[in-house]
Amino acid sequence: MNKYKKKEIIKNKISIAPMVDRTDRHFRNFVRMINKDVLLYTEMITAQAIINGDLDYILGFEKIENPIVLQIAATSPEEAYKAVKISEKYDYDEINLNVGCPSDRVSGNMMGACLMAYPEKVAKILEAMNSATSKPVSIKHRIGIDGTKILPDEISKKVFDTYEDMKNFVEIVKKVGIKKFIIHARIAVLAGLDTKQNREIPPLRYDEVYKIKKEIPDLYVEINGGIKTVEEIDKHLEHVDSVMIGRQIYENPMILTQFGKYYGKNIKITREEIIEKMIKYVEKIELNGIRPHLFLMHTHGLFFGQKGSKFWKRAINNPKADSFMLKNLLKELKNERKI
Ligand SMILES: Cc1cc2nc3c(=O)[nH]c(=O)nc-3n(C[C@H](O)[C@H](O)[C@H](O)COP(=O)(O)O)c2cc1C
Protein backbone atom coordinates (compact mmCIF):
# COMPACT_ATOMS: atom_id res chain seq x y z
CA MET A 1 0.00 0.00 0.00
CA ASN A 2 1.17 3.51 -0.74
CA LYS A 3 2.34 4.93 2.57
CA TYR A 4 1.49 8.48 1.44
CA LYS A 5 -2.12 7.70 0.63
CA LYS A 6 -3.52 9.07 3.87
CA LYS A 7 -2.28 12.59 3.22
CA GLU A 8 -4.93 14.56 1.42
CA ILE A 9 -3.51 17.52 -0.47
CA ILE A 10 -5.34 20.83 -0.14
CA LYS A 11 -7.56 21.30 -3.16
CA ASN A 12 -8.33 25.00 -3.31
CA LYS A 13 -9.10 26.72 -6.60
CA ILE A 14 -7.10 29.86 -5.75
CA SER A 15 -3.89 30.31 -3.86
CA ILE A 16 -1.87 33.41 -3.07
CA ALA A 17 1.74 32.86 -4.13
CA PRO A 18 4.55 32.76 -1.58
CA MET A 19 6.43 36.07 -1.82
CA VAL A 20 9.45 36.99 0.28
CA ASP A 21 9.00 40.34 2.07
CA ARG A 22 5.31 40.31 1.15
CA THR A 23 3.37 37.28 2.34
CA ASP A 24 4.29 37.66 5.97
CA ARG A 25 1.68 37.27 8.70
CA HIS A 26 0.57 40.90 8.42
CA PHE A 27 -0.16 40.66 4.72
CA ARG A 28 -1.90 37.32 5.24
CA ASN A 29 -4.11 38.88 7.91
CA PHE A 30 -4.91 41.67 5.47
CA VAL A 31 -5.96 39.10 2.83
CA ARG A 32 -8.22 37.44 5.40
CA MET A 33 -10.00 40.76 6.02
CA ILE A 34 -11.27 40.43 2.45
CA ASN A 35 -11.34 36.72 1.69
CA LYS A 36 -11.47 33.82 4.15
CA ASP A 37 -11.13 30.98 1.65
CA VAL A 38 -8.14 31.39 -0.63
CA LEU A 39 -5.13 29.27 0.19
CA LEU A 40 -2.32 31.29 1.73
CA TYR A 41 1.43 30.68 1.70
CA THR A 42 4.20 31.82 3.98
CA GLU A 43 7.22 33.51 2.48
CA MET A 44 9.91 31.01 1.51
CA ILE A 45 11.77 30.05 4.69
CA THR A 46 15.08 28.24 4.43
CA ALA A 47 15.43 24.99 6.33
CA GLN A 48 18.48 26.43 8.08
CA ALA A 49 16.46 29.42 9.30
CA ILE A 50 13.96 27.02 10.85
CA ILE A 51 16.65 24.81 12.35
CA ASN A 52 18.51 27.76 13.91
CA GLY A 53 15.82 30.37 14.31
CA ASP A 54 13.36 31.97 16.69
CA LEU A 55 10.52 29.58 15.88
CA ASP A 56 7.47 31.53 17.00
CA TYR A 57 8.72 34.54 15.09
CA ILE A 58 9.47 32.56 11.93
CA LEU A 59 6.67 30.01 11.96
CA GLY A 60 3.93 31.40 14.18
CA PHE A 61 0.62 32.47 12.66
CA GLU A 62 -2.99 33.05 13.66
CA LYS A 63 -5.80 30.55 13.25
CA ILE A 64 -7.59 32.90 10.86
CA GLU A 65 -4.74 32.40 8.36
CA ASN A 66 -5.67 28.73 7.78
CA PRO A 67 -5.74 27.25 5.23
CA ILE A 68 -2.05 28.04 4.95
CA VAL A 69 0.98 26.34 3.42
CA LEU A 70 4.50 26.56 4.79
CA GLN A 71 7.04 26.92 2.00
CA ILE A 72 10.61 25.88 2.68
CA ALA A 73 13.81 25.90 0.66
CA ALA A 74 16.30 23.16 1.39
CA THR A 75 19.54 21.89 0.02
CA SER A 76 19.59 18.35 1.46
CA PRO A 77 17.11 15.71 2.62
CA GLU A 78 18.62 15.81 6.12
CA GLU A 79 18.04 19.50 6.70
CA ALA A 80 14.62 19.35 5.03
CA TYR A 81 13.63 16.52 7.39
CA LYS A 82 14.77 18.45 10.46
CA ALA A 83 13.03 21.67 9.42
CA VAL A 84 9.73 19.97 8.63
CA LYS A 85 9.85 17.97 11.85
CA ILE A 86 10.32 21.20 13.82
CA SER A 87 7.42 22.85 11.98
CA GLU A 88 5.07 20.01 12.97
CA LYS A 89 4.04 21.79 16.15
CA TYR A 90 2.56 24.63 14.07
CA ASP A 91 -0.70 23.91 12.34
CA TYR A 92 0.23 24.31 8.68
CA ASP A 93 -2.14 22.60 6.26
CA GLU A 94 0.52 21.62 3.73
CA ILE A 95 4.29 21.86 3.40
CA ASN A 96 5.76 22.99 0.09
CA LEU A 97 9.26 22.80 -1.35
CA ASN A 98 10.54 25.75 -3.38
CA VAL A 99 12.23 24.59 -6.57
CA GLY A 100 11.48 27.77 -8.48
CA CYS A 101 13.45 30.60 -6.94
CA PRO A 102 16.23 31.76 -9.29
CA SER A 103 17.92 34.02 -6.75
CA ASP A 104 21.73 33.82 -6.71
CA ARG A 105 21.71 33.51 -2.95
CA VAL A 106 19.35 30.57 -3.08
CA SER A 107 20.92 28.90 -6.15
CA GLY A 108 24.43 29.51 -4.80
CA ASN A 109 23.46 27.28 -1.90
CA MET A 110 21.96 24.71 -4.27
CA MET A 111 18.38 25.51 -3.36
CA GLY A 112 15.46 26.73 -5.38
CA ALA A 113 15.29 26.55 -9.18
CA CYS A 114 18.78 25.12 -9.74
CA LEU A 115 17.58 21.91 -8.08
CA MET A 116 15.57 21.20 -11.24
CA ALA A 117 18.88 19.95 -12.69
CA TYR A 118 18.89 17.24 -10.01
CA PRO A 119 15.47 15.57 -10.07
CA GLU A 120 16.60 12.58 -7.99
CA LYS A 121 17.84 14.88 -5.28
CA VAL A 122 14.57 16.80 -5.29
CA ALA A 123 12.72 13.49 -4.94
CA LYS A 124 14.90 12.58 -1.93
CA ILE A 125 14.28 15.96 -0.28
CA LEU A 126 10.53 15.61 -0.78
CA GLU A 127 10.58 12.05 0.50
CA ALA A 128 12.37 13.23 3.63
CA MET A 129 9.83 16.01 4.10
CA ASN A 130 7.00 13.57 3.63
CA SER A 131 8.36 11.24 6.27
CA ALA A 132 8.78 14.12 8.75
CA THR A 133 5.18 15.31 8.69
CA SER A 134 1.61 14.13 8.95
CA LYS A 135 0.68 16.89 6.50
CA PRO A 136 0.67 16.64 2.70
CA VAL A 137 3.77 17.80 0.86
CA SER A 138 3.80 19.66 -2.46
CA ILE A 139 6.33 21.23 -4.82
CA LYS A 140 6.49 24.58 -6.59
CA HIS A 141 8.78 24.63 -9.60
CA ARG A 142 9.37 26.19 -13.00
CA ILE A 143 8.75 24.60 -16.39
CA GLY A 144 12.54 24.45 -16.72
CA ILE A 145 15.86 26.19 -16.14
CA ASP A 146 18.81 27.50 -18.10
CA GLY A 147 21.80 26.79 -15.90
CA THR A 148 24.57 27.65 -18.36
CA LYS A 149 27.54 29.57 -16.91
CA ILE A 150 26.48 28.78 -13.38
CA LEU A 151 25.85 25.09 -12.72
CA PRO A 152 28.97 23.02 -11.97
CA ASP A 153 30.71 21.23 -14.85
CA GLU A 154 29.88 17.73 -13.77
CA ILE A 155 26.21 18.38 -14.44
CA SER A 156 25.51 17.13 -17.93
CA LYS A 157 22.14 18.78 -18.26
CA LYS A 158 22.64 22.45 -17.60
CA VAL A 159 19.80 23.40 -19.84
CA PHE A 160 16.60 21.83 -18.81
CA ASP A 161 14.23 23.60 -21.04
CA THR A 162 11.96 21.30 -23.02
CA TYR A 163 8.55 19.91 -22.17
CA GLU A 164 10.12 16.43 -22.13
CA ASP A 165 12.66 17.57 -19.51
CA MET A 166 9.87 18.84 -17.31
CA LYS A 167 7.84 15.67 -17.75
CA ASN A 168 10.86 13.58 -16.81
CA PHE A 169 11.37 15.78 -13.72
CA VAL A 170 7.73 15.45 -12.69
CA GLU A 171 7.74 11.69 -13.17
CA ILE A 172 10.80 11.24 -10.96
CA VAL A 173 9.31 13.43 -8.24
CA LYS A 174 5.92 11.76 -8.48
CA LYS A 175 7.48 8.38 -7.67
CA VAL A 176 8.01 9.39 -4.03
CA GLY A 177 4.32 10.08 -3.58
CA ILE A 178 4.11 13.78 -4.46
CA LYS A 179 0.78 14.58 -6.07
CA LYS A 180 0.55 18.36 -6.12
CA PHE A 181 2.69 20.37 -8.53
CA ILE A 182 2.52 24.15 -8.61
CA ILE A 183 4.13 25.17 -11.85
CA HIS A 184 5.34 28.67 -12.70
CA ALA A 185 4.94 28.60 -16.47
CA ARG A 186 8.31 30.11 -17.40
CA ILE A 187 11.87 28.85 -17.17
CA ALA A 188 14.37 30.39 -14.76
CA VAL A 189 17.58 31.68 -16.31
CA LEU A 190 20.11 31.20 -13.54
CA ALA A 191 22.91 33.39 -14.93
CA GLY A 192 22.26 36.73 -16.62
CA LEU A 193 18.79 37.54 -15.34
CA ASP A 194 18.06 38.76 -11.85
CA THR A 195 15.16 37.53 -9.74
CA LYS A 196 12.78 40.23 -10.94
CA GLN A 197 13.69 39.74 -14.60
CA ASN A 198 13.15 36.01 -14.12
CA ARG A 199 9.51 36.79 -13.35
CA GLU A 200 9.09 38.86 -16.49
CA ILE A 201 11.47 38.03 -19.33
CA PRO A 202 11.30 34.26 -19.97
CA PRO A 203 8.07 33.78 -21.95
CA LEU A 204 5.03 32.22 -20.33
CA ARG A 205 4.35 28.72 -21.72
CA TYR A 206 0.98 27.86 -20.24
CA ASP A 207 0.41 25.12 -22.84
CA GLU A 208 3.12 22.97 -21.30
CA VAL A 209 1.43 23.14 -17.92
CA TYR A 210 -1.89 22.15 -19.51
CA LYS A 211 -0.14 19.33 -21.33
CA ILE A 212 1.38 17.78 -18.23
CA LYS A 213 -2.08 17.70 -16.60
CA LYS A 214 -3.50 16.11 -19.73
CA GLU A 215 -0.77 13.49 -20.03
CA ILE A 216 -0.63 12.65 -16.30
CA PRO A 217 -4.23 13.29 -15.20
CA ASP A 218 -3.78 11.92 -11.68
CA LEU A 219 -1.44 14.82 -10.88
CA TYR A 220 -2.95 17.82 -9.12
CA VAL A 221 -1.63 20.71 -11.21
CA GLU A 222 -1.75 24.36 -10.17
CA ILE A 223 -0.71 26.96 -12.71
CA ASN A 224 1.17 30.16 -11.89
CA GLY A 225 2.68 33.16 -13.64
CA GLY A 226 1.29 36.44 -14.97
CA ILE A 227 -2.36 35.70 -14.13
CA LYS A 228 -4.32 38.90 -13.53
CA THR A 229 -8.07 38.59 -14.04
CA VAL A 230 -10.99 36.33 -13.18
CA GLU A 231 -11.50 35.75 -16.91
CA GLU A 232 -7.92 34.43 -17.15
CA ILE A 233 -8.43 32.28 -14.08
CA ASP A 234 -11.57 30.74 -15.57
CA LYS A 235 -9.73 29.94 -18.77
CA HIS A 236 -6.89 28.21 -16.91
CA LEU A 237 -9.35 26.24 -14.81
CA GLU A 238 -10.60 24.58 -17.98
CA HIS A 239 -7.19 22.88 -18.20
CA VAL A 240 -5.72 22.57 -14.70
CA ASP A 241 -6.92 22.03 -11.13
CA SER A 242 -6.15 25.41 -9.61
CA VAL A 243 -4.50 28.77 -10.05
CA MET A 244 -1.85 30.61 -8.03
CA ILE A 245 -1.66 34.41 -8.14
CA GLY A 246 1.09 36.56 -6.70
CA ARG A 247 1.81 40.13 -7.74
CA GLN A 248 -1.71 40.98 -8.85
CA ILE A 249 -3.10 40.39 -5.37
CA TYR A 250 -0.51 42.66 -3.84
CA GLU A 251 -1.15 45.36 -6.41
CA ASN A 252 -4.94 45.13 -6.34
CA PRO A 253 -6.15 43.26 -3.24
CA MET A 254 -9.80 44.15 -3.93
CA ILE A 255 -9.70 41.49 -6.65
CA LEU A 256 -10.03 39.04 -3.75
CA THR A 257 -13.72 40.01 -3.56
CA GLN A 258 -14.22 38.58 -7.04
CA PHE A 259 -13.00 35.16 -5.92
CA GLY A 260 -16.11 34.50 -3.83
CA LYS A 261 -17.62 32.66 -6.79
CA TYR A 262 -15.04 29.87 -6.44
CA TYR A 263 -16.37 29.23 -2.94
CA GLY A 264 -20.10 29.69 -3.58
CA LYS A 265 -20.04 33.12 -1.93
CA ASN A 266 -20.83 36.67 -2.86
CA ILE A 267 -18.21 38.86 -1.18
CA LYS A 268 -19.57 42.35 -0.74
CA ILE A 269 -17.11 44.02 1.61
CA THR A 270 -16.38 47.73 0.97
CA ARG A 271 -13.08 49.56 1.40
CA GLU A 272 -14.59 51.39 4.34
CA GLU A 273 -15.40 48.09 6.08
CA ILE A 274 -11.89 46.83 5.34
CA ILE A 275 -10.34 49.95 6.87
CA GLU A 276 -12.50 49.39 9.96
CA LYS A 277 -11.06 45.89 10.26
CA MET A 278 -7.58 47.30 9.68
CA ILE A 279 -8.02 49.74 12.56
CA LYS A 280 -8.85 46.85 14.91
CA TYR A 281 -5.83 44.88 13.70
CA VAL A 282 -3.50 47.87 14.07
CA GLU A 283 -4.79 48.52 17.59
CA LYS A 284 -4.06 44.89 18.43
CA ILE A 285 -0.50 44.92 17.10
CA GLU A 286 0.19 48.27 18.75
CA LEU A 287 -0.67 46.66 22.08
CA ASN A 288 1.94 43.99 21.30
CA GLY A 289 4.58 46.61 20.56
CA ILE A 290 4.64 45.92 16.81
CA ARG A 291 5.13 48.88 14.51
CA PRO A 292 1.90 49.45 12.51
CA HIS A 293 3.97 50.29 9.44
CA LEU A 294 4.93 46.61 9.18
CA PHE A 295 1.27 45.88 8.46
CA LEU A 296 0.22 49.07 6.67
CA MET A 297 2.98 48.85 4.06
CA HIS A 298 1.22 45.77 2.66
CA THR A 299 -2.05 47.62 2.10
CA HIS A 300 -0.97 50.25 -0.41
CA GLY A 301 -2.96 48.55 -3.21
CA LEU A 302 -6.32 48.93 -1.45
CA PHE A 303 -7.34 51.85 -3.67
CA PHE A 304 -5.84 50.45 -6.88
CA GLY A 305 -7.39 52.24 -9.87
CA GLN A 306 -9.45 54.54 -7.60
CA LYS A 307 -9.53 58.29 -7.11
CA GLY A 308 -8.15 58.08 -3.58
CA SER A 309 -5.17 55.86 -4.45
CA LYS A 310 -2.35 58.43 -4.25
CA PHE A 311 -3.79 59.95 -1.10
CA TRP A 312 -4.02 56.52 0.53
CA LYS A 313 -0.51 55.44 -0.43
CA ARG A 314 1.03 58.65 0.82
CA ALA A 315 -0.72 58.33 4.17
CA ILE A 316 -0.01 54.67 4.87
CA ASN A 317 3.57 54.84 3.61
CA ASN A 318 4.38 57.22 6.43
CA PRO A 319 6.53 55.07 8.76
CA LYS A 320 4.82 56.76 11.71
CA ALA A 321 1.29 55.86 10.60
CA ASP A 322 -0.75 54.31 13.43
CA SER A 323 -4.33 53.49 14.42
CA PHE A 324 -5.03 57.12 15.30
CA MET A 325 -3.94 58.23 11.85
CA LEU A 326 -5.96 55.44 10.26
CA LYS A 327 -9.13 56.57 12.05
CA ASN A 328 -8.62 60.14 10.85
CA LEU A 329 -7.89 58.90 7.37
CA LEU A 330 -11.14 56.97 7.34
CA LYS A 331 -13.03 60.12 8.36
CA GLU A 332 -11.32 62.17 5.66
CA LEU A 333 -11.97 59.56 3.01
CA LYS A 334 -15.64 59.47 3.98
CA ASN A 335 -15.92 63.28 3.93
CA GLU A 336 -14.31 63.52 0.53
CA ARG A 337 -16.42 60.59 -0.68
CA LYS A 338 -13.32 58.76 -1.81
CA ILE A 339 -14.67 55.50 -0.43
C1 LIG B 1 8.45 39.98 -4.21
C2 LIG B 1 8.34 38.54 -4.63
C3 LIG B 1 8.84 37.56 -3.80
C4 LIG B 1 8.72 36.20 -4.17
N1 LIG B 1 9.12 35.23 -3.29
C5 LIG B 1 8.86 33.93 -3.58
C6 LIG B 1 9.06 32.90 -2.61
O1 LIG B 1 9.40 33.16 -1.46
N2 LIG B 1 8.82 31.62 -2.98
C7 LIG B 1 8.38 31.29 -4.24
O2 LIG B 1 8.16 30.11 -4.53
N3 LIG B 1 8.17 32.25 -5.16
C8 LIG B 1 8.36 33.54 -4.85
N4 LIG B 1 8.04 34.50 -5.75
C9 LIG B 1 7.44 34.11 -7.04
C10 LIG B 1 5.93 34.04 -6.91
O3 LIG B 1 5.54 33.05 -5.98
C11 LIG B 1 5.30 33.71 -8.28
O4 LIG B 1 5.76 32.45 -8.70
C12 LIG B 1 5.66 34.74 -9.33
O5 LIG B 1 5.53 36.06 -8.84
C13 LIG B 1 4.77 34.58 -10.57
O6 LIG B 1 3.41 34.72 -10.24
P1 LIG B 1 2.62 36.11 -10.48
O7 LIG B 1 2.87 36.49 -11.91
O8 LIG B 1 1.19 35.79 -10.21
O9 LIG B 1 3.19 37.12 -9.55
C14 LIG B 1 8.14 35.85 -5.41
C15 LIG B 1 7.64 36.86 -6.24
C16 LIG B 1 7.73 38.20 -5.85
C17 LIG B 1 7.15 39.26 -6.75
Side-chain angles (χ1 to χ4, degrees):
M1 189 179 116
N2 181 346
K3 64 180 165 173
Y4 304 110
K5 218 170 186 171
K6 286 188 299 226
K7 301 189 186 189
E8 268 306 313
I9 50 167
I10 304 293
K11 295 181 177 172
N12 191 319
K13 287 268 180 279
I14 312 283
S15 69
I16 309 304
M19 289 182 280
V20 164
D21 293 336
R22 293 192 181 180
T23 54
D24 60 18
R25 64 177 83 181
H26 299 304
F27 177 68
R28 298 189 308 249
N29 268 276
F30 178 54
V31 169
R32 284 290 181 250
M33 290 172 199
I34 310 173
N35 185 307
K36 304 234 176 311
D37 300 297
V38 291
L39 183 58
L40 293 175
Y41 275 73
T42 62
E43 305 168 85
M44 173 191 77
I45 307 176
T46 64
Q48 281 306 326
I50 296 175
I51 293 166
N52 302 314
D54 169 353
L55 290 183
D56 285 344
Y57 179 71
I58 298 177
L59 294 176
F61 65 92
E62 292 177 42
K63 194 91 206 106
I64 194 169
E65 295 169 51
N66 291 98
I68 176 168
V69 180
L70 166 65
Q71 187 191 58
I72 68 160
T75 150
S76 73
E78 294 74 25
E79 65 165 27
Y81 180 89
K82 273 192 209 156
V84 173
K85 198 84 194 156
I86 292 169
S87 71
E88 273 293 87
K89 74 171 181 162
Y90 297 87
D91 190 25
Y92 286 100
D93 295 287
E94 195 169 282
I95 318 289
N96 178 266
L97 179 68
N98 179 331
V99 189
C101 181
S103 143
D104 279 353
R105 198 159 42 95
V106 177
S107 304
N109 285 320
M110 281 299 162
M111 285 189 267
C114 69
L115 281 178
M116 285 198 77
Y118 309 79
E120 277 84 11
K121 184 168 181 184
V122 173
K124 285 206 176 88
I125 294 175
L126 287 160
E127 195 173 32
M129 289 166 65
N130 226 340
S131 64
T133 175
S134 56
K135 300 294 163 68
V137 172
S138 61
I139 177 171
K140 178 170 181 275
H141 63 92
R142 299 272 185 145
I143 53 170
I145 54 169
D146 179 347
T148 40
K149 296 203 198 120
I150 193 165
L151 286 180
D153 282 344
E154 68 268 23
I155 307 287
S156 56
K157 206 152 182 70
K158 289 181 184 169
V159 180
F160 192 97
D161 184 23
T162 66
Y163 172 75
E164 291 313 319
D165 288 333
M166 175 174 69
K167 190 173 177 196
N168 178 49
F169 175 85
V170 165
E171 272 169 345
I172 292 169
V173 168
K174 182 177 179 279
K175 276 192 201 132
V176 295
I178 301 303
K179 299 187 184 94
K180 182 169 178 181
F181 292 74
I182 298 127
I183 309 178
H184 184 170
R186 25 166 97 82
I187 66 158
V189 180
L190 301 184
L193 294 186
D194 66 22
T195 318
K196 189 163 179 281
Q197 290 169 323
N198 262 307
R199 291 182 208 120
E200 284 156 10
I201 294 176
L204 285 158
R205 292 167 19 197
Y206 294 134
D207 283 350
E208 296 179 23
V209 183
Y210 299 165
K211 191 169 171 192
I212 198 107
K213 173 69 191 179
K214 199 164 179 199
E215 291 190 358
I216 319 180
D218 65 321
L219 289 186
Y220 183 94
V221 175
E222 180 159 309
I223 197 164
N224 168 243
I227 302 167
K228 290 196 163 83
T229 64
V230 168
E231 291 70 33
E232 288 168 26
I233 294 174
D234 289 342
K235 193 162 165 278
H236 289 301
L237 289 175
E238 288 170 16
H239 302 277
V240 292
D241 297 292
S242 52
V243 171
M244 172 180 270
I245 306 177
R247 288 165 291 186
Q248 183 66 1
I249 303 290
Y250 203 77
E251 222 163 277
N252 178 19
M254 282 308 272
I255 197 180
L256 287 160
T257 59
Q258 298 176 31
F259 298 166
K261 69 172 192 162
Y262 302 110
Y263 306 94
K265 291 181 182 167
N266 186 4
I267 303 177
K268 279 204 162 135
I269 192 156
T270 62
R271 288 183 178 83
E272 179 176 337
E273 287 161 341
I274 294 168
I275 298 172
E276 272 156 9
K277 290 187 184 190
M278 287 173 58
I279 291 170
K280 285 202 185 111
Y281 184 81
V282 170
E283 284 174 340
K284 191 175 83 179
I285 64 174
E286 281 170 347
L287 282 177
N288 291 325
I290 297 170
R291 270 198 315 136
H293 180 65
L294 296 176
F295 164 71
L296 292 172
M297 66 183 191
H298 293 308
T299 68
H300 71 254
L302 187 60
F303 283 80
F304 178 85
Q306 302 290 304
K307 226 169 63 188
S309 185
K310 267 198 191 149
F311 177 70
W312 172 257
K313 279 190 197 164
R314 206 175 319 121
I316 56 115
N317 277 337
N318 178 348
K320 294 204 174 112
D322 59 7
S323 57
F324 181 72
M325 183 251 23
L326 210 50
K327 283 179 195 162
N328 282 335
L329 194 58
L330 181 58
K331 262 191 229 151
E332 259 179 83
L333 286 164
K334 277 186 192 168
N335 287 343
E336 293 180 28
R337 296 187 189 282
K338 283 181 177 156
I339 283 194

